[in-house]
Amino acid sequence: MARSSPPAERVTVTMPSELVAGIDRIERNRSRFIAEAVRHELQRRQRLELLRSLEAPHPDTAANAALGLAAWAEGLPSGDDDLLDPFSGAAVRWIPESGWQESEP
């Protein structure tokens, strides 16, 4: 079965001519090169956002952590209770100025 490409959209981008010349020196297909560069940058920013959220979690996340995963899991809709095992993994707790720290069970 052939794999189809996601739908594409035409966009107009203005960039300095030296960047265009640099792309042309190493890649024949500008669109592919730019798409790969944008994809890479989006992934990089998502990783940075995840790291920021781990360093300073959203207040709701801290509240859920205080409540405990088992209590949170009890609030899942019927039929979704097998999505996670709240007793697997390591217990962690949020310590201001230190971040998430493994805690004793």
Side-chain angles (χ1 to χ4, degrees):
M1 180 176 192
R3 214 173 127 189
S4 63
S5 298
E9 280 191 46
R10 182 174 297 277
V11 296
T12 302
V13 178
T14 304
M15 62 177 67
S17 58
E18 67 268 9
L19 286 179
V20 175
I23 293 168
D24 290 346
R25 276 194 298 277
I26 61 172
E27 177 65 54
R28 292 179 59 187
N29 186 326
R30 287 180 187 165
S31 293
R32 180 175 48 222
F33 180 85
I34 291 169
E36 288 174 6
V38 169
R39 191 173 291 111
H40 176 76
E41 179 63 12
L42 288 172
Q43 290 171 346
R44 185 187 73 80
R45 289 185 185 200
Q46 288 170 342
R47 283 191 301 272
L48 285 174
E49 187 59 33
L50 174 61
L51 290 173
R52 276 191 219 110
S53 97
L54 291 173
E55 291 170 0
H58 187 278
D60 289 347
T61 302
N64 285 338
L67 178 65
L69 186 58
W72 177 83
E74 289 173 7
L76 289 173
S78 178
D80 288 344
D81 52 352
D82 63 342
L83 291 177
L84 63 90
D85 178 0
F87 304 104
S88 66
V92 295
R93 62 190 170 106
W94 175 255
I95 300 175
E97 307 299 323
S98 298
W100 292 105
Q101 303 289 320
E102 195 164 331
S103 61
E104 298 295 321

